[in-house]
Amino acid sequence: MQTVLYARVSTTDQTAAHQRTQAEAAGFKIDHVVTDEGVSGVATVLADRPQGRRLFDMLRQGDVLVVRWVDRLGRNYQDVTETIREFMRRGVIVRTVINGMTFDGATTDPVQMAVRDALIGFMAATAQAQAEAIKEAQKAGIEHAKGREDAYLGRKPSYTRDQFVEVVDRLNSGEAVQAVAKATGISRGTVYRIRDNRAEAEAALARWAAYGNDGGVLGQIPV
């Protein structure tokens, strides 16, 4: 049996190493890391990604597949639900670092099965909804910036996407704002803003990513 971490990074300010660090900090002993870089979880289903295809070849009954959250498998509801169920049919256990979810096809209790399947659907739907919100923010940033040198996109985020993810993860784990700020190197004020309005904090990242660090208008980035 083996424990495999699948990491998907879609932007230049995300790293697979960060996802492994999170997994190991949560107590996972990782045997192998499989990574897809610069790949959209919306446009490209897992089986069509170079390393995603590898998962279907290497995972066997009794193996554990670890992902930071289900959005690393994909941002498409149908793809994510079918992927998790396919792995469960093969006897592979799927576990998430965030929230510590476990999806195991071995259970035969109908109530447990119903709860498990409902959670899979809910988490997959949430992943797709978040992706759509990000793309809307990117679209707004592009439209706002086109042809306007004085375009105002709001305050430029003082954090990367990896830092944003880590802040959210630590807050979800119940850490105090001061501890989160110290661990991530972000000011307490910024942590408070992320805590109080996570949707806007992530939208700000998307707007500036769409606009470009050099002031030029970019296309939408994968999520």
Side-chain angles (χ1 to χ4, degrees):
M1 294 187 293
Q2 60 182 335
T3 298
V4 178
L5 171 69
Y6 175 69
R8 179 179 64 81
V9 292
S10 59
T11 62
T12 56
D13 59 351
Q14 292 177 299
T15 65
H18 178 69
Q19 293 180 41
R20 177 168 190 165
T21 299
Q22 282 186 311
E24 291 177 336
F28 290 100
K29 295 185 68 175
I30 305 299
D31 297 311
H32 304 286
V33 178
V34 176
T35 306
D36 275 308
E37 298 186 355
V39 179
S40 168
V42 177
T44 310
V45 299
L46 183 66
D48 289 341
R49 301 173 206 157
Q51 297 304 308
R53 288 194 299 271
R54 183 181 168 202
L55 288 178
F56 289 95
D57 294 332
M58 69 185 297
L59 291 171
R60 299 288 186 268
Q61 184 173 0
D63 290 344
V64 176
L65 172 62
V66 178
V67 290
R68 188 185 69 83
W69 201 61
V70 298
D71 64 352
R72 297 305 86 194
L73 293 174
R75 295 278 199 169
N76 176 280
Y77 172 83
Q78 183 173 350
D79 177 41
V80 172
T81 54
E82 290 181 354
T83 293
I84 294 177
R85 287 168 182 155
E86 173 60 24
F87 281 132
M88 289 195 302
R89 282 192 291 269
R90 298 183 180 202
V92 176
I93 299 170
V94 181
R95 300 188 62 186
T96 68
V97 175
I98 297 178
N99 301 130
M101 304 301 299
T102 298
F103 301 110
D104 187 349
T107 181
T108 58
D109 180 272
V111 174
Q112 292 181 357
M113 291 171 65
V115 172
R116 178 200 66 198
D117 292 345
L119 282 172
I120 291 173
F122 172 76
M123 294 173 73
T126 301
Q128 180 169 333
Q130 289 177 340
E132 291 172 352
I134 293 171
K135 289 181 76 67
E136 284 301 314
Q138 292 171 345
K139 182 179 178 181
I142 293 170
E143 292 302 318
H144 188 69
K146 279 181 178 177
R148 294 185 56 189
E149 294 182 359
D150 62 341
Y152 180 68
L153 301 176
R155 177 188 296 179
K156 185 176 181 179
S158 57
Y159 46 89
T160 66
R161 181 163 294 280
D162 269 347
Q163 287 176 315
F164 171 81
V165 168
E166 184 174 0
V167 168
V168 171
D169 289 351
R170 288 178 177 276
L171 290 173
N172 285 342
S173 299
E175 290 190 29
V177 169
Q178 184 173 354
V180 174
K182 183 177 180 180
T184 60
I186 298 174
S187 71
R188 282 185 295 175
T190 299
V191 176
Y192 276 119
R193 285 195 294 274
I194 294 174
R195 184 198 68 178
D196 296 339
N197 196 338
R198 293 180 187 177
E200 173 53 32
E202 187 163 16
L205 279 172
R207 285 194 299 270
W208 279 92
Y211 187 58
N213 291 331
D214 60 355
V217 180
L218 301 178
Q220 293 188 355
I221 59 174
V223 291

